[in-house]
Amino acid sequence: MSMDLKIFNRDKVIMSNYSSEQLRNMVREDRVHRNMYIDPEVFEIEKEKIFKKVWLYVGHESLISNPGDYYCTTLVGQPVVLSRNVDNSVHVIFNRCGHRGAKVLNRKRGNAKLFSCMYHGWGFKPDGQLAGVPMRVDFPEKALQEPQSGMVSLPRVESYRGFVFASFNKDVEPLADYLGEARRGIDELVDRSPVGKIEFAAGCHRYHFKGNWKLQLENQADMYHPAACHASTVGPDGRQFRRRAGKEGGDAAFFTPDGEAVVAQTGVRGFLKGHSSEASLFDKEQSGGVWDDYRTLMVDAYGEERTKDILKNRRHSMTLFPSVDILIAQTSVRVIRAVAVDHTEIEVWPVRLTGAPDVISTDLVKYLNITHSAASFIQSDDLEAFERCQEGLKTEGAEWFLVAKGMGHEIDEGKGVLFGPRSSEVGQRAQHYAWRDLMGA
């Protein structure tokens, strides 16, 4: 039975024919309904019940290293600014003038003592406070003192090891609680710097695909697809092309000499709150060339045993639901932005390991160009798959699709972490269950 569902926020009311129960029932234990991917009405509800309720990744603090620095992006389709104030505090504010609502900053990045609106000249401090109004005496002073006359801050902003997150929900749980055990993905990336610091210093790849945002998110917990989808990237020896620094350990084993897809033996983990991770594709430790110089710096900083642990091939990536993927294997960060039900924007940022040899970072950009750019050997395969899924899900051949690989064979590792061997779909199920809990609330 259909019921109207009202979703309220400060700006609008969305009327829906879906009840909370109907939304929740789109996710079963072993399958999900195709409307999650193709129905614009479901996407509008996702914006209110998921993206405006949880923590969303905004950017990295290295993008705003100096007072007055700003970085412009969007959250749930709304323009926002990540900025650093004169007191060195970090802020996330709506990119909107408190006077007539004009977008204030139009460049992607920059530095300014005041953020000036081009329409009527109102000026704002980097923390969003109103700083100047031409012909101020003609306005009621009481109105100018109201917070909404400035560039309003998002309700919640927190940072973890330089990664800045924000939420539209003032009552959202603390970021550390939301990340839980999945925070280890950030730790494993940042700890690879000899000084425990990373930088976004080489720009990013930015591209779009005609598909639902969840297709990219699920792909980051899918070790079943590489053997088929990325087979063209594998040489006669059964190993993929070299994609990491070092004379050894830079290529991954996909097939044994007799054709067995060893890559599909890789495990996956599902975490609480919809986070997931993939075990590493690489079967050898990196060594040789500049990597040995880098490792020496790491040993000097952390000692031999700690360095072994940091550089271990532990996981390929850690995906933090619903907006960012820590690509540990490629020393980079992938951002997922849902634009429409069938339109997603992706950014891939190479990461500089502060204190490591410069060639490590320059090589990383080269490798990322051939793995995760829009025209790369790997990402282009995935984008083709996403768009084919989006087209196929429009058909009426079946209402549900299966997400059951490895079901019943998960290993409980404690603290809400489930490990699934043999390319289990446990990580995708964790995402779907989080979607169900949020949408069905």
Side-chain angles (χ1 to χ4, degrees):
M1 180 178 180
S2 178
M3 296 176 60
D4 282 344
L5 175 66
K6 295 183 179 180
I7 302 174
F8 295 88
N9 67 11
R10 290 175 295 181
D11 302 315
K12 61 185 178 181
V13 177
I14 294 180
M15 303 298 293
S16 172
N17 290 318
Y18 289 107
S19 68
S20 294
E21 182 180 6
Q22 287 171 326
L23 292 166
R24 185 176 183 84
N25 288 339
M26 286 186 181
V27 176
R28 294 179 180 173
E29 187 180 18
D30 64 346
R31 64 197 67 204
V32 296
H33 197 275
R34 68 189 184 102
N35 280 6
M36 289 172 57
Y37 301 81
I38 63 172
D39 191 338
E41 191 173 343
V42 171
F43 178 71
E44 291 302 315
I45 301 172
E46 285 179 333
K47 291 198 295 188
E48 303 301 321
K49 289 195 145 193
I50 296 179
F51 295 112
K52 289 187 180 180
K53 292 296 184 183
V54 302
W55 288 100
L56 301 177
Y57 172 73
V58 182
H60 192 266
E61 289 185 15
S62 63
L63 294 169
I64 50 163
S65 55
N66 300 307
D69 281 354
Y70 64 84
Y71 165 69
C72 296
T73 184
T74 59
L75 294 178
V76 201
Q78 300 185 35
V80 300
V81 182
L82 173 63
S83 60
R84 188 177 294 275
N85 199 23
V86 291
D87 62 359
N88 218 38
S89 57
V90 172
H91 299 265
V92 180
I93 56 180
F94 290 103
N95 194 354
R96 176 189 186 277
C97 178
H99 177 216
R100 299 294 292 275
K103 184 178 176 182
V104 176
L105 296 170
N106 211 38
R107 293 177 58 190
K108 194 68 176 177
R109 291 178 65 187
N111 180 280
K113 292 181 179 179
L114 289 178
F115 301 161
S116 180
C117 179
M118 57 78 65
Y119 197 7
H120 298 97
W122 282 34
F124 307 89
K125 297 177 182 179
D127 64 357
Q129 292 188 55
L130 182 62
V133 177
M135 304 175 72
R136 186 173 186 130
V137 296
D138 295 327
F139 288 88
E141 187 60 31
K142 183 178 179 180
L144 297 180
Q145 295 298 326
E146 295 174 354
Q148 57 264 36
S149 291
M151 295 175 70
V152 177
S153 297
L154 269 76
R156 292 284 296 279
V157 178
E158 290 187 26
S159 179
Y160 182 75
R161 301 199 71 177
F163 287 76
V164 181
F165 292 77
S167 180
F168 290 78
N169 177 13
K170 65 181 178 59
D171 297 319
V172 70
E173 64 189 313
L175 177 62
D177 293 345
Y178 184 72
L179 295 177
E181 287 298 297
R183 73 187 185 281
R184 298 183 186 278
I186 294 177
D187 292 337
E188 290 164 17
L189 179 63
V190 178
D191 286 347
R192 291 188 169 226
S193 159
V195 297
K197 181 181 178 183
I198 65 171
E199 302 171 55
F200 286 25
C204 74
H205 291 287
R206 183 180 295 111
Y207 44 88
H208 297 243
F209 69 87
K210 297 176 182 178
N212 189 269
W213 63 278
K214 293 184 287 295
L215 296 171
Q216 174 70 85
L217 205 73
E218 292 160 357
N219 176 263
Q220 294 154 193
D222 184 346
M223 297 308 295
Y224 189 37
H225 81 280
C229 190
H230 304 310
S232 64
T233 68
V234 181
D237 61 353
R239 304 186 72 87
Q240 198 179 47
F241 62 87
R242 183 175 171 223
R243 54 191 284 189
R244 301 197 302 179
K247 292 183 178 179
E248 294 290 336
D251 57 350
F254 266 51
F255 301 100
T256 62
D258 61 1
E260 180 186 1
V262 293
V263 68
Q265 310 300 318
T266 308
V268 177
R269 285 177 173 84
F271 295 75
L272 297 175
K273 313 293 184 183
H275 312 312
S276 62
S277 76
E278 304 165 316
S280 178
L281 292 168
F282 297 94
D283 57 340
K284 298 178 182 178
E285 297 295 326
Q286 290 169 268
S287 65
V290 69
W291 190 260
D292 290 344
D293 298 332
Y294 160 65
R295 195 181 189 284
T296 298
L297 292 173
M298 291 290 287
V299 172
D300 290 344
Y302 297 109
E304 179 63 32
E305 290 306 311
R306 176 65 177 137
T307 296
K308 283 183 180 179
D309 185 63
I310 291 172
L311 299 183
K312 186 182 297 182
N313 289 324
R314 184 175 281 107
R315 69 182 93 240
H316 186 74
S317 69
M318 176 70 82
T319 303
L320 305 176
F321 184 89
S323 60
V324 65
D325 181 41
I326 312 301
L327 267 166
I328 299 163
Q330 294 299 144
T331 320
S332 57
V333 173
R334 175 163 41 197
V335 185
I336 305 101
R337 292 197 185 90
V339 180
V341 69
D342 56 358
H343 181 187
T344 304
E345 180 184 76
I346 302 296
E347 290 180 347
V348 183
W349 295 79
V351 168
R352 180 176 181 268
L353 301 174
T354 309
D358 287 342
V359 68
I360 293 286
S361 297
T362 55
D363 278 355
L364 168 64
V365 173
K366 176 181 68 176
Y367 292 129
L368 204 61
N369 286 343
I370 60 177
T371 58
H372 287 86
S373 69
S376 65
F377 293 143
I378 296 174
Q379 188 67 47
S380 57
D381 292 338
D382 290 333
L383 295 178
E384 176 70 17
F386 302 160
E387 295 197 357
R388 290 193 188 196
C389 285
Q390 193 70 29
E391 287 299 308
L393 287 170
K394 294 176 184 177
T395 67
E396 298 178 3
E399 293 296 306
W400 302 83
F401 68 82
L402 201 61
V403 194
K405 193 173 191 301
M407 179 167 282
H409 298 282
E410 301 91 346
I411 299 169
D412 189 341
E413 297 183 334
K415 298 183 179 180
V417 182
L418 295 177
F419 174 75
R422 294 177 52 81
S423 56
S424 169
E425 291 172 336
V426 63
Q428 296 173 59
R429 290 192 290 271
Q431 295 170 8
H432 297 152
Y433 298 164
W435 187 97
R436 176 193 62 196
D437 293 344
L438 288 163
M439 294 288 279

